[in-house]
Amino acid sequence: MLRLNRRVAALKPSATLAMEARAGELKQSGVDIISLAAGEPDFDTPERIKEAARKAMAAGATKYTPAAGIRELKQAICAKLKRDNGLDYKPTEVMAAAGGKQAIYNVVASLFDEGDEVIIPTPAWVSFAEIVRLSGAEVKLLPTRESDGFQLRAEELKRALTPKSRGIILNSPCNPTGAVTSAEQLSELAKVMVEANLSVIFDGVYEHIIYVDRPPHLFAIEPRLKETGIVVNSLSKTYAMTGWRVGFAAGPAEVIGAASRLQGQNSGNPNSIAQAAAVEALNGPQDEVRTMAEEFRARNRLVVERIRSLTGFKLVNVPEGAFYAFPNVSELLGSKWPRGVLSDGNQVAEFLLEEAKVAVVGGNDFGAPEHVRMSYATSRENLEEAFKRIANAVRKLKS
Ligand code: GLU
């Protein structure tokens, strides 16, 4: 009898990638789909970054590199952490990886073990919990409330602690809610985390896509957290480089060393040409980052307005960062469509794909089954058209 590894057998597919793949297949088969599914900027990678890749390839940068990345990239990551986040790291304390996801996986697998509990405030990105489960540690989901701006409160964190609590994964701006944790809240949370000796994995992948003042980094607010905590980030969203697969982690040399050994055994270095492009992305002029963020701000306003005029969709909180809106669709639940009754966010996503030809991701795997996630990393024309289609489809629902 064929038998799979227990943890892999229990692994869910990534809901975000699965929906994006379905939308892609439908498009290829000739269906006119608008995708608000994957969180992938529609902008092209800036030319200066592509040019750095061309040059690197022409110069023969086509061989293995050290598993955790070339020295220039590690230095560029250290310089970025200083410039953007006010954090001091040495090259021995950083590693490059093939995407933020790989960085998180290798760090989580290096830090946590069976018998440990890792706290994940929800709604949360679909991959955090699955990555923690793969490590053998237990996931402790800690729901936040929509009426409270999806903010994790220090008292709630305190109440969720057990003798097994070892870590927490924080993500601000948050995918999928767009919530930004303020400096005051970060410092309240920091007190509890220091006291509980938690290793904090802080995912700042959307840090430049933010519509409020950017708060200082958690580890700048509370430097003691830096002693056991890890910064994870990626170039995917900031520089429109999703396909290049470059992410990174920074933390204590012991953890980064372990994660680098793990990477050395399971995949080796991130793509050598993408690393050269990443050096240029991080070290070169940062104007495109601001230009892209401004466009996301305009789309944010458009999307909030359109969602608020849709029947059955409630958007309590205006997203303050990232490029997602996470409306509550509970008013639609119980409605009938040709395939049955809408029972949760995933069903609403199915309905929108079939009836409106618009791909969104159901909230179930984000830990919020009464919601759907809409990515506005697509053009304003696409967004206008998508919301027209959604409005028409919803009109056809029967109660
Ligand atoms: N992080 C993006 C998203 O949430 C890209 C897909 C993925 O890796 O989940 O859509």
PDB file of all heavy atoms in Angstrom, residues 306-332:
ATOM      1  N   ARG A 306     -16.457  50.854  -4.299  1.00  0.00           N
ATOM      2  CA  ARG A 306     -17.257  49.890  -5.060  1.00  0.00           C
ATOM      3  C   ARG A 306     -17.827  48.801  -4.151  1.00  0.00           C
ATOM      4  O   ARG A 306     -18.971  48.404  -4.290  1.00  0.00           O
ATOM      5  CB  ARG A 306     -16.417  49.222  -6.170  1.00  0.00           C
ATOM      6  CG  ARG A 306     -16.004  50.145  -7.285  1.00  0.00           C
ATOM      7  CD  ARG A 306     -17.205  50.648  -8.094  1.00  0.00           C
ATOM      8  NE  ARG A 306     -16.781  51.603  -9.091  1.00  0.00           N
ATOM      9  CZ  ARG A 306     -16.576  52.901  -8.872  1.00  0.00           C
ATOM     10  NH1 ARG A 306     -16.801  53.424  -7.677  1.00  0.00           N
ATOM     11  NH2 ARG A 306     -16.163  53.696  -9.844  1.00  0.00           N
ATOM     12  N   ILE A 307     -17.001  48.291  -3.241  1.00  0.00           N
ATOM     13  CA  ILE A 307     -17.494  47.220  -2.360  1.00  0.00           C
ATOM     14  C   ILE A 307     -18.634  47.754  -1.502  1.00  0.00           C
ATOM     15  O   ILE A 307     -19.648  47.082  -1.303  1.00  0.00           O
ATOM     16  CB  ILE A 307     -16.372  46.658  -1.464  1.00  0.00           C
ATOM     17  CG1 ILE A 307     -15.330  45.936  -2.311  1.00  0.00           C
ATOM     18  CG2 ILE A 307     -16.946  45.697  -0.412  1.00  0.00           C
ATOM     19  CD1 ILE A 307     -14.139  45.423  -1.554  1.00  0.00           C
ATOM     20  N   ARG A 308     -18.483  48.972  -1.032  1.00  0.00           N
ATOM     21  CA  ARG A 308     -19.519  49.513  -0.136  1.00  0.00           C
ATOM     22  C   ARG A 308     -20.834  49.759  -0.867  1.00  0.00           C
ATOM     23  O   ARG A 308     -21.868  49.893  -0.228  1.00  0.00           O
ATOM     24  CB  ARG A 308     -18.998  50.765   0.565  1.00  0.00           C
ATOM     25  CG  ARG A 308     -17.985  50.348   1.624  1.00  0.00           C
ATOM     26  CD  ARG A 308     -17.591  51.460   2.532  1.00  0.00           C
ATOM     27  NE  ARG A 308     -16.867  50.918   3.688  1.00  0.00           N
ATOM     28  CZ  ARG A 308     -16.089  51.629   4.483  1.00  0.00           C
ATOM     29  NH1 ARG A 308     -15.919  52.910   4.267  1.00  0.00           N
ATOM     30  NH2 ARG A 308     -15.481  51.056   5.503  1.00  0.00           N
ATOM     31  N   SER A 309     -20.784  49.812  -2.192  1.00  0.00           N
ATOM     32  CA  SER A 309     -22.065  49.987  -2.892  1.00  0.00           C
ATOM     33  C   SER A 309     -22.644  48.646  -3.372  1.00  0.00           C
ATOM     34  O   SER A 309     -23.704  48.614  -3.992  1.00  0.00           O
ATOM     35  CB  SER A 309     -21.890  50.960  -4.067  1.00  0.00           C
ATOM     36  OG  SER A 309     -21.009  50.405  -4.988  1.00  0.00           O
ATOM     37  N   LEU A 310     -21.969  47.542  -3.071  1.00  0.00           N
ATOM     38  CA  LEU A 310     -22.487  46.229  -3.469  1.00  0.00           C
ATOM     39  C   LEU A 310     -23.468  45.708  -2.423  1.00  0.00           C
ATOM     40  O   LEU A 310     -23.210  45.827  -1.230  1.00  0.00           O
ATOM     41  CB  LEU A 310     -21.350  45.202  -3.537  1.00  0.00           C
ATOM     42  CG  LEU A 310     -20.426  45.140  -4.742  1.00  0.00           C
ATOM     43  CD1 LEU A 310     -19.354  44.085  -4.486  1.00  0.00           C
ATOM     44  CD2 LEU A 310     -21.208  44.806  -6.007  1.00  0.00           C
ATOM     45  N   THR A 311     -24.549  45.084  -2.897  1.00  0.00           N
ATOM     46  CA  THR A 311     -25.475  44.457  -1.958  1.00  0.00           C
ATOM     47  C   THR A 311     -24.822  43.187  -1.414  1.00  0.00           C
ATOM     48  O   THR A 311     -24.236  42.421  -2.179  1.00  0.00           O
ATOM     49  CB  THR A 311     -26.771  44.045  -2.703  1.00  0.00           C
ATOM     50  OG1 THR A 311     -27.182  45.165  -3.466  1.00  0.00           O
ATOM     51  CG2 THR A 311     -27.853  43.582  -1.761  1.00  0.00           C
ATOM     52  N   GLY A 312     -24.913  42.981  -0.109  1.00  0.00           N
ATOM     53  CA  GLY A 312     -24.441  41.719   0.472  1.00  0.00           C
ATOM     54  C   GLY A 312     -22.983  41.712   0.894  1.00  0.00           C
ATOM     55  O   GLY A 312     -22.522  40.756   1.512  1.00  0.00           O
ATOM     56  N   PHE A 313     -22.241  42.758   0.570  1.00  0.00           N
ATOM     57  CA  PHE A 313     -20.823  42.823   0.947  1.00  0.00           C
ATOM     58  C   PHE A 313     -20.653  43.938   1.973  1.00  0.00           C
ATOM     59  O   PHE A 313     -21.080  45.068   1.724  1.00  0.00           O
ATOM     60  CB  PHE A 313     -19.929  43.148  -0.262  1.00  0.00           C
ATOM     61  CG  PHE A 313     -19.841  42.037  -1.265  1.00  0.00           C
ATOM     62  CD1 PHE A 313     -20.941  41.682  -2.032  1.00  0.00           C
ATOM     63  CD2 PHE A 313     -18.649  41.349  -1.452  1.00  0.00           C
ATOM     64  CE1 PHE A 313     -20.865  40.655  -2.956  1.00  0.00           C
ATOM     65  CE2 PHE A 313     -18.560  40.323  -2.378  1.00  0.00           C
ATOM     66  CZ  PHE A 313     -19.672  39.969  -3.131  1.00  0.00           C
ATOM     67  N   LYS A 314     -20.039  43.621   3.093  1.00  0.00           N
ATOM     68  CA  LYS A 314     -19.841  44.646   4.122  1.00  0.00           C
ATOM     69  C   LYS A 314     -18.344  44.818   4.364  1.00  0.00           C
ATOM     70  O   LYS A 314     -17.640  43.843   4.624  1.00  0.00           O
ATOM     71  CB  LYS A 314     -20.541  44.208   5.412  1.00  0.00           C
ATOM     72  CG  LYS A 314     -21.006  45.398   6.201  1.00  0.00           C
ATOM     73  CD  LYS A 314     -22.089  45.057   7.203  1.00  0.00           C
ATOM     74  CE  LYS A 314     -21.463  44.328   8.347  1.00  0.00           C
ATOM     75  NZ  LYS A 314     -22.196  43.435   9.102  1.00  0.00           N
ATOM     76  N   LEU A 315     -17.879  46.050   4.218  1.00  0.00           N
ATOM     77  CA  LEU A 315     -16.464  46.306   4.472  1.00  0.00           C
ATOM     78  C   LEU A 315     -16.396  47.267   5.659  1.00  0.00           C
ATOM     79  O   LEU A 315     -16.572  48.474   5.502  1.00  0.00           O
ATOM     80  CB  LEU A 315     -15.813  46.914   3.231  1.00  0.00           C
ATOM     81  CG  LEU A 315     -14.294  46.978   3.250  1.00  0.00           C
ATOM     82  CD1 LEU A 315     -13.678  45.589   3.281  1.00  0.00           C
ATOM     83  CD2 LEU A 315     -13.780  47.743   2.039  1.00  0.00           C
ATOM     84  N   VAL A 316     -16.214  46.705   6.840  1.00  0.00           N
ATOM     85  CA  VAL A 316     -16.232  47.520   8.056  1.00  0.00           C
ATOM     86  C   VAL A 316     -14.969  48.384   8.106  1.00  0.00           C
ATOM     87  O   VAL A 316     -15.029  49.573   8.393  1.00  0.00           O
ATOM     88  CB  VAL A 316     -16.325  46.609   9.308  1.00  0.00           C
ATOM     89  CG1 VAL A 316     -16.236  47.421  10.590  1.00  0.00           C
ATOM     90  CG2 VAL A 316     -17.619  45.804   9.272  1.00  0.00           C
ATOM     91  N   ASN A 317     -13.837  47.765   7.829  1.00  0.00           N
ATOM     92  CA  ASN A 317     -12.571  48.478   7.964  1.00  0.00           C
ATOM     93  C   ASN A 317     -11.977  48.808   6.605  1.00  0.00           C
ATOM     94  O   ASN A 317     -11.898  47.942   5.737  1.00  0.00           O
ATOM     95  CB  ASN A 317     -11.558  47.608   8.714  1.00  0.00           C
ATOM     96  CG  ASN A 317     -12.124  47.117  10.024  1.00  0.00           C
ATOM     97  OD1 ASN A 317     -12.320  47.905  10.936  1.00  0.00           O
ATOM     98  ND2 ASN A 317     -12.436  45.825  10.099  1.00  0.00           N
ATOM     99  N   VAL A 318     -11.527  50.034   6.444  1.00  0.00           N
ATOM    100  CA  VAL A 318     -10.813  50.396   5.217  1.00  0.00           C
ATOM    101  C   VAL A 318      -9.405  49.804   5.329  1.00  0.00           C
ATOM    102  O   VAL A 318      -8.733  50.033   6.340  1.00  0.00           O
ATOM    103  CB  VAL A 318     -10.733  51.932   5.083  1.00  0.00           C
ATOM    104  CG1 VAL A 318      -9.826  52.335   3.937  1.00  0.00           C
ATOM    105  CG2 VAL A 318     -12.118  52.504   4.886  1.00  0.00           C
ATOM    106  N   PRO A 319      -8.980  49.008   4.355  1.00  0.00           N
ATOM    107  CA  PRO A 319      -7.628  48.449   4.453  1.00  0.00           C
ATOM    108  C   PRO A 319      -6.584  49.571   4.502  1.00  0.00           C
ATOM    109  O   PRO A 319      -6.643  50.501   3.707  1.00  0.00           O
ATOM    110  CB  PRO A 319      -7.481  47.617   3.174  1.00  0.00           C
ATOM    111  CG  PRO A 319      -8.825  47.543   2.556  1.00  0.00           C
ATOM    112  CD  PRO A 319      -9.675  48.614   3.130  1.00  0.00           C
ATOM    113  N   GLU A 320      -5.663  49.476   5.446  1.00  0.00           N
ATOM    114  CA  GLU A 320      -4.647  50.532   5.614  1.00  0.00           C
ATOM    115  C   GLU A 320      -3.332  50.187   4.940  1.00  0.00           C
ATOM    116  O   GLU A 320      -2.395  50.981   4.940  1.00  0.00           O
ATOM    117  CB  GLU A 320      -4.402  50.753   7.112  1.00  0.00           C
ATOM    118  CG  GLU A 320      -5.630  51.242   7.847  1.00  0.00           C
ATOM    119  CD  GLU A 320      -5.366  51.487   9.314  1.00  0.00           C
ATOM    120  OE1 GLU A 320      -4.558  50.743   9.919  1.00  0.00           O
ATOM    121  OE2 GLU A 320      -5.960  52.430   9.850  1.00  0.00           O
ATOM    122  N   GLY A 321      -3.241  48.969   4.440  1.00  0.00           N
ATOM    123  CA  GLY A 321      -2.008  48.566   3.769  1.00  0.00           C
ATOM    124  C   GLY A 321      -2.258  47.309   2.961  1.00  0.00           C
ATOM    125  O   GLY A 321      -3.377  46.797   2.927  1.00  0.00           O
ATOM    126  N   ALA A 322      -1.214  46.805   2.301  1.00  0.00           N
ATOM    127  CA  ALA A 322      -1.296  45.655   1.385  1.00  0.00           C
ATOM    128  C   ALA A 322      -2.262  45.994   0.234  1.00  0.00           C
ATOM    129  O   ALA A 322      -2.686  47.143   0.101  1.00  0.00           O
ATOM    130  CB  ALA A 322      -1.701  44.370   2.103  1.00  0.00           C
ATOM    131  N   PHE A 323      -2.606  45.017  -0.597  1.00  0.00           N
ATOM    132  CA  PHE A 323      -3.526  45.341  -1.700  1.00  0.00           C
ATOM    133  C   PHE A 323      -4.709  44.387  -1.736  1.00  0.00           C
ATOM    134  O   PHE A 323      -5.076  43.865  -2.769  1.00  0.00           O
ATOM    135  CB  PHE A 323      -2.807  45.400  -3.052  1.00  0.00           C
ATOM    136  CG  PHE A 323      -1.714  44.389  -3.251  1.00  0.00           C
ATOM    137  CD1 PHE A 323      -1.982  43.039  -3.208  1.00  0.00           C
ATOM    138  CD2 PHE A 323      -0.418  44.810  -3.513  1.00  0.00           C
ATOM    139  CE1 PHE A 323      -0.986  42.114  -3.400  1.00  0.00           C
ATOM    140  CE2 PHE A 323       0.613  43.893  -3.715  1.00  0.00           C
ATOM    141  CZ  PHE A 323       0.322  42.540  -3.656  1.00  0.00           C
ATOM    142  N   TYR A 324      -5.278  44.180  -0.518  1.00  0.00           N
ATOM    143  CA  TYR A 324      -6.430  43.298  -0.408  1.00  0.00           C
ATOM    144  C   TYR A 324      -7.571  43.999   0.318  1.00  0.00           C
ATOM    145  O   TYR A 324      -7.327  44.774   1.237  1.00  0.00           O
ATOM    146  CB  TYR A 324      -6.076  42.056   0.416  1.00  0.00           C
ATOM    147  CG  TYR A 324      -4.870  41.314  -0.076  1.00  0.00           C
ATOM    148  CD1 TYR A 324      -3.672  41.354   0.629  1.00  0.00           C
ATOM    149  CD2 TYR A 324      -4.921  40.579  -1.261  1.00  0.00           C
ATOM    150  CE1 TYR A 324      -2.553  40.680   0.173  1.00  0.00           C
ATOM    151  CE2 TYR A 324      -3.810  39.905  -1.728  1.00  0.00           C
ATOM    152  CZ  TYR A 324      -2.623  39.954  -1.002  1.00  0.00           C
ATOM    153  OH  TYR A 324      -1.532  39.289  -1.455  1.00  0.00           O
ATOM    154  N   ALA A 325      -8.791  43.682  -0.122  1.00  0.00           N
ATOM    155  CA  ALA A 325      -9.962  44.037   0.668  1.00  0.00           C
ATOM    156  C   ALA A 325     -10.563  42.720   1.123  1.00  0.00           C
ATOM    157  O   ALA A 325     -10.507  41.716   0.398  1.00  0.00           O
ATOM    158  CB  ALA A 325     -10.950  44.824  -0.183  1.00  0.00           C
ATOM    159  N   PHE A 326     -11.119  42.725   2.322  1.00  0.00           N
ATOM    160  CA  PHE A 326     -11.590  41.468   2.911  1.00  0.00           C
ATOM    161  C   PHE A 326     -13.019  41.647   3.418  1.00  0.00           C
ATOM    162  O   PHE A 326     -13.287  41.622   4.625  1.00  0.00           O
ATOM    163  CB  PHE A 326     -10.640  41.097   4.057  1.00  0.00           C
ATOM    164  CG  PHE A 326     -10.663  39.646   4.447  1.00  0.00           C
ATOM    165  CD1 PHE A 326     -10.440  38.643   3.512  1.00  0.00           C
ATOM    166  CD2 PHE A 326     -10.891  39.270   5.766  1.00  0.00           C
ATOM    167  CE1 PHE A 326     -10.438  37.304   3.867  1.00  0.00           C
ATOM    168  CE2 PHE A 326     -10.892  37.935   6.144  1.00  0.00           C
ATOM    169  CZ  PHE A 326     -10.666  36.952   5.189  1.00  0.00           C
ATOM    170  N   PRO A 327     -13.961  41.861   2.468  1.00  0.00           N
ATOM    171  CA  PRO A 327     -15.334  42.134   2.891  1.00  0.00           C
ATOM    172  C   PRO A 327     -16.012  40.926   3.538  1.00  0.00           C
ATOM    173  O   PRO A 327     -15.688  39.783   3.224  1.00  0.00           O
ATOM    174  CB  PRO A 327     -16.042  42.507   1.584  1.00  0.00           C
ATOM    175  CG  PRO A 327     -15.216  41.909   0.508  1.00  0.00           C
ATOM    176  CD  PRO A 327     -13.809  41.895   1.004  1.00  0.00           C
ATOM    177  N   ASN A 328     -16.945  41.247   4.405  1.00  0.00           N
ATOM    178  CA  ASN A 328     -17.782  40.235   5.041  1.00  0.00           C
ATOM    179  C   ASN A 328     -18.970  39.968   4.112  1.00  0.00           C
ATOM    180  O   ASN A 328     -19.637  40.901   3.670  1.00  0.00           O
ATOM    181  CB  ASN A 328     -18.265  40.803   6.384  1.00  0.00           C
ATOM    182  CG  ASN A 328     -19.037  39.796   7.187  1.00  0.00           C
ATOM    183  OD1 ASN A 328     -19.920  39.126   6.665  1.00  0.00           O
ATOM    184  ND2 ASN A 328     -18.702  39.689   8.454  1.00  0.00           N
ATOM    185  N   VAL A 329     -19.201  38.698   3.825  1.00  0.00           N
ATOM    186  CA  VAL A 329     -20.283  38.356   2.884  1.00  0.00           C
ATOM    187  C   VAL A 329     -21.396  37.568   3.584  1.00  0.00           C
ATOM    188  O   VAL A 329     -22.158  36.867   2.939  1.00  0.00           O
ATOM    189  CB  VAL A 329     -19.750  37.567   1.660  1.00  0.00           C
ATOM    190  CG1 VAL A 329     -18.888  38.459   0.791  1.00  0.00           C
ATOM    191  CG2 VAL A 329     -18.989  36.314   2.073  1.00  0.00           C
ATOM    192  N   SER A 330     -21.464  37.704   4.920  1.00  0.00           N
ATOM    193  CA  SER A 330     -22.436  36.860   5.639  1.00  0.00           C
ATOM    194  C   SER A 330     -23.878  37.126   5.180  1.00  0.00           C
ATOM    195  O   SER A 330     -24.714  36.231   5.245  1.00  0.00           O
ATOM    196  CB  SER A 330     -22.297  37.001   7.149  1.00  0.00           C
ATOM    197  OG  SER A 330     -22.298  38.351   7.498  1.00  0.00           O
ATOM    198  N   GLU A 331     -24.157  38.361   4.696  1.00  0.00           N
ATOM    199  CA  GLU A 331     -25.525  38.636   4.221  1.00  0.00           C
ATOM    200  C   GLU A 331     -25.900  37.804   2.989  1.00  0.00           C
ATOM    201  O   GLU A 331     -27.067  37.623   2.697  1.00  0.00           O
ATOM    202  CB  GLU A 331     -25.669  40.116   3.851  1.00  0.00           C
ATOM    203  CG  GLU A 331     -25.962  40.977   5.049  1.00  0.00           C
ATOM    204  CD  GLU A 331     -26.017  42.442   4.663  1.00  0.00           C
ATOM    205  OE1 GLU A 331     -26.389  42.764   3.515  1.00  0.00           O
ATOM    206  OE2 GLU A 331     -25.662  43.262   5.533  1.00  0.00           O
ATOM    207  N   LEU A 332     -24.880  37.339   2.271  1.00  0.00           N
ATOM    208  CA  LEU A 332     -25.180  36.530   1.078  1.00  0.00           C
ATOM    209  C   LEU A 332     -25.407  35.060   1.436  1.00  0.00           C
ATOM    210  O   LEU A 332     -25.955  34.299   0.632  1.00  0.00           O
ATOM    211  CB  LEU A 332     -24.017  36.598   0.068  1.00  0.00           C
ATOM    212  CG  LEU A 332     -23.696  37.948  -0.560  1.00  0.00           C
ATOM    213  CD1 LEU A 332     -22.511  37.813  -1.510  1.00  0.00           C
ATOM    214  CD2 LEU A 332     -24.913  38.467  -1.335  1.00  0.00           C
TER     215      LEU A 332
END
